[in-house]
Amino acid sequence: MQLRLEALDGHLAKPLAQLYVITSDEHLLALEAADKIRAAARAQGYGEREVLSVERSFKWGELLAANQELSLFGDKKLIELRIPSGKPGKDGGAALQQYAKDLSPDNLTLITLPKLDWATQKAAWVAALQQAAVYIDIAPVERAQLPGWIAARLAQQGQSAERGALAFIAERVEGNLLAAHQEILKLGLLHPAGKLSDEQVRDAVLNVARYDVFKLSEAMLGGDPARLVRMLEGLKGEGEALPLVLWAVAEEIRTLLKLKAGMAQGRPLGALLKEYRIWGPRERMMEPALRRIALPTLEAALRQAAQVDKMVKGLRAKAYAGDAWDAMLQLALSVARG
């Protein structure tokens, strides 16, 4: 049974299921959902808790044994299985399929996983869990959704803010939802319920953004130079490896060129996106980006990328002199501006 995160509170007010699965890369939201399940389990008589974590030395027999052992105090038991890698392996996959078939009526099991990649989602053990469990797949809070998410969290503590103030907070906590949560709580401690002024927000909120190199493509595809500059400055300040940044940008340029070439041959964009495994927010951004960015711009950008690569490697680049990060910025901006 698939369950949306928004429906979890209502679900937990009823008798609990025997198996829950949470999969997400949003650690804050996953932690909050797991805490709610734990609290409901305690309220419904699951007095004992056993936590298992799948590390290198983990033996899958431990999970099966935990399910079969009776509680020391005769209580119902909550079993938590954490799989940080999201990859249980062949033996683990078989054990999870068997476990899903033989759930004990005396136990409640909570399995937590990171967001599963496309290939892993097709695995037999995932299908078995989806069929047997209440399966909660928590989507990431994308950049465009972040101001609304912040507004909803402020409303929970009786506060509100203007759109500009929400955008200001979002800029400073982008990619770091836990920090966003902490900044919102701080505003609740500093100021009473009611509407927050822009000045109050700016004075209180720190710049705690954590930028993801793979999110650079969103700023380029969306034609957002200001966000692009902010992200590159943040990556540089965090000590991100420039070769990785260049690789991510160059790969996006190559992908755009492949899509352009396919469309020039008369192939539909939908089929091309499926072929190159482009989905989610990036998929929705591709069509307007392809309309905006001309083919000569992409071809020139790929040549620029080769010059930046020479700078990164300490070789002399014909196109640039100076700092490789500045050259990287000019490359990314050329695509963002189309």
Side-chain angles (χ1 to χ4, degrees):
M1 167 188 170
Q2 295 274 352
L3 185 70
R4 291 176 59 84
L5 180 61
E6 296 80 6
L8 180 60
D9 288 340
H11 169 86
L12 295 177
K14 305 171 185 176
L16 297 176
Q18 290 178 286
L19 177 60
Y20 290 85
V21 176
I22 298 173
T23 172
S24 182
D25 282 338
E26 289 288 14
H27 302 298
L28 171 69
L29 301 184
L31 178 61
E32 289 178 341
D35 282 343
K36 288 179 179 180
I37 293 171
R38 294 184 192 107
R42 287 193 298 271
Q44 295 191 30
Y46 291 87
E48 186 177 342
R49 179 181 174 216
E50 184 170 354
V51 179
L52 304 172
S53 184
V54 180
E55 307 294 346
R56 186 182 297 272
S57 61
F58 182 75
K59 305 298 183 184
W60 284 96
E62 297 177 37
L63 174 63
L64 303 179
N67 192 42
Q68 294 167 357
E69 290 173 356
L70 296 176
S71 168
L72 294 175
F73 305 102
D75 295 331
K76 293 187 291 184
K77 181 166 62 172
L78 169 63
I79 300 171
E80 290 191 36
L81 178 68
R82 300 170 181 174
I83 312 178
S85 69
K87 305 282 188 180
K90 183 178 179 181
D91 291 344
L96 288 169
Q97 290 181 71
Q98 183 62 42
Y99 192 87
K101 290 180 182 178
D102 299 324
L103 296 171
S104 169
D106 296 322
N107 299 330
L108 184 153
T109 303
L110 170 61
I111 300 175
T112 53
L113 298 150
K115 181 71 175 176
L116 302 179
D117 60 37
W118 182 85
T120 305
Q121 290 177 30
K122 305 297 182 183
W125 65 268
V126 176
L129 291 180
Q130 289 175 334
Q131 184 174 1
V134 173
Y135 196 91
I136 309 166
D137 187 356
I138 305 174
V141 178
E142 300 294 345
R143 175 63 178 83
Q145 301 169 312
L146 192 52
W149 185 88
I150 294 168
R153 289 286 171 133
L154 285 172
Q156 290 177 9
Q157 58 192 35
Q159 293 178 315
S160 64
E162 294 286 355
R163 183 178 301 177
L166 296 174
F168 176 84
I169 300 173
E171 287 178 0
R172 274 134 187 89
V173 299
E174 180 179 354
N176 195 344
L177 211 61
L178 181 58
H181 174 67
Q182 292 170 339
E183 293 300 314
I184 291 165
L185 291 179
K186 183 170 69 176
L187 285 166
L189 292 172
L190 291 173
H191 303 290
K195 191 169 186 177
L196 298 167
S197 69
D198 285 1
E199 184 179 359
Q200 287 173 326
V201 169
R202 290 175 183 273
D203 286 345
V205 176
L206 299 173
N207 188 347
V208 291
R210 186 180 64 219
Y211 295 107
D212 181 347
V213 64
F214 297 105
K215 291 284 186 179
L216 278 174
S217 62
E218 291 186 8
M220 288 198 307
L221 293 175
D224 190 344
R227 183 185 178 203
L228 188 62
V229 170
R230 192 167 60 246
M231 293 184 76
L232 279 170
E233 288 179 348
L235 288 167
K236 181 180 179 181
E238 292 169 3
E240 185 60 81
L242 184 52
L244 177 61
V245 178
L246 175 61
W247 175 84
V249 170
E251 280 298 298
E252 197 65 71
I253 295 168
R254 292 188 187 97
T255 298
L256 288 166
L257 282 168
K258 290 175 185 176
L259 294 174
K260 284 273 193 184
M263 293 171 69
Q265 295 170 2
R267 297 185 61 190
L269 179 58
L272 291 166
L273 293 173
K274 185 174 182 180
E275 177 181 340
Y276 293 115
R277 296 186 178 183
I278 299 170
W279 52 76
R282 189 162 162 249
E283 177 184 6
R284 295 189 291 273
M285 301 176 81
M286 277 298 179
E287 184 175 0
L290 289 165
R291 288 198 305 266
R292 178 175 55 82
I293 307 171
L295 180 60
T297 298
L298 293 171
E299 292 172 339
L302 198 57
R303 291 192 295 270
Q304 276 183 270
Q307 297 297 323
V308 178
D309 183 56
K310 290 181 181 179
M311 295 186 73
V312 171
K313 293 174 180 175
L315 304 175
R316 184 175 181 180
K318 295 182 295 182
Y320 302 105
D323 184 68
W325 276 99
D326 290 340
M328 182 70 249
L329 174 60
Q330 295 306 314
L331 167 62
L333 284 173
S334 71
V335 180
R337 290 168 176 162

